[in-house]
Amino acid sequence: MGEDTVKGKGTGRGRYHHGDLRGALLDAAEALVRERGVDGWSLREASARVGVSPSAAYHHFSSRDALVGALSLRVLGQLGERMGRAADLPAEADPHRRLVAVGQAYVRAALEDPAVTRLAFGAGASPAGRGSGSSPWSPGSTPWPPTPTASSTPSSTSSRCPAT
């Protein structure tokens, strides 16, 4: 019997006890984002993937948006560490070279994991949760990386500054 499983007394059934449910839910949510996109999953699905009831998940996250916010913070922390490692060049390195290395690390991360990057920059809050203050990011802000649309391409006249 694994360390995470505790036998229920007198019931004959196993009762699941998770050592790090919060972390496991974050891992499950991140995997679901990669598989289904930013909006294609629920807190209930993340709970099922970890093997606990949805009510157990509510002990750590009051809603899907709360889980999204925590995952966003974790992903941004990982991005910051990655960018920091990229900037960790010898002291005599050119500042321009450091800046380029940090920028490349940022863009590489976004290209390698676009769904998680979109979630981290605010696209993962449910439409009902947007504007409610439940997300740590500005509600309604443009997610990064942006999702291209036909209307996002500037026309030749709309992007010009007015003549002075």
Side-chain angles (χ1 to χ4, degrees):
M1 192 175 298
E3 182 178 307
D4 288 339
T5 305
V6 176
K7 198 69 156 166
K9 291 188 178 188
T11 64
R13 292 183 358 162
R15 183 170 49 93
Y16 195 71
H17 174 73
H18 204 289
D20 181 17
L21 181 54
R22 186 178 197 283
L25 287 167
L26 287 165
D27 292 343
E30 190 170 343
L32 285 164
V33 167
R34 285 190 181 105
E35 293 169 19
R36 299 187 192 163
V38 173
D39 293 319
W41 58 278
S42 67
L43 183 58
R44 179 175 294 277
E45 289 174 289
S47 301
R49 193 164 276 206
V50 173
V52 298
S53 69
S55 62
Y58 285 106
H59 290 285
H60 297 279
F61 302 103
S62 62
S63 66
R64 178 190 179 276
D65 286 343
L67 176 56
V68 166
L71 181 56
S72 295
L73 291 174
R74 183 170 90 167
V75 169
L76 288 172
Q78 292 167 346
L79 177 61
E81 290 171 7
R82 184 175 184 165
M83 292 169 67
R85 286 189 305 273
D88 193 19
L89 298 172
E92 65 275 0
D94 176 34
H96 180 263
R97 186 172 157 212
R98 282 181 196 270
L99 181 61
V100 168
V102 169
Q104 287 174 333
Y106 177 86
V107 170
R108 200 173 300 116
L111 292 173
E112 289 172 1
D113 209 349
V116 171
T117 303
R118 269 189 210 97
L119 176 130
F121 285 94
S126 68
R130 289 186 186 124
S132 67
S134 61
S135 173
W137 317 114
S138 303
S141 65
T142 303
W144 186 260
T147 305
T149 62
S151 63
S152 66
T153 308
S155 70
S156 61
T157 57
S158 66
S159 61
R160 292 186 186 159
C161 296
T164 52

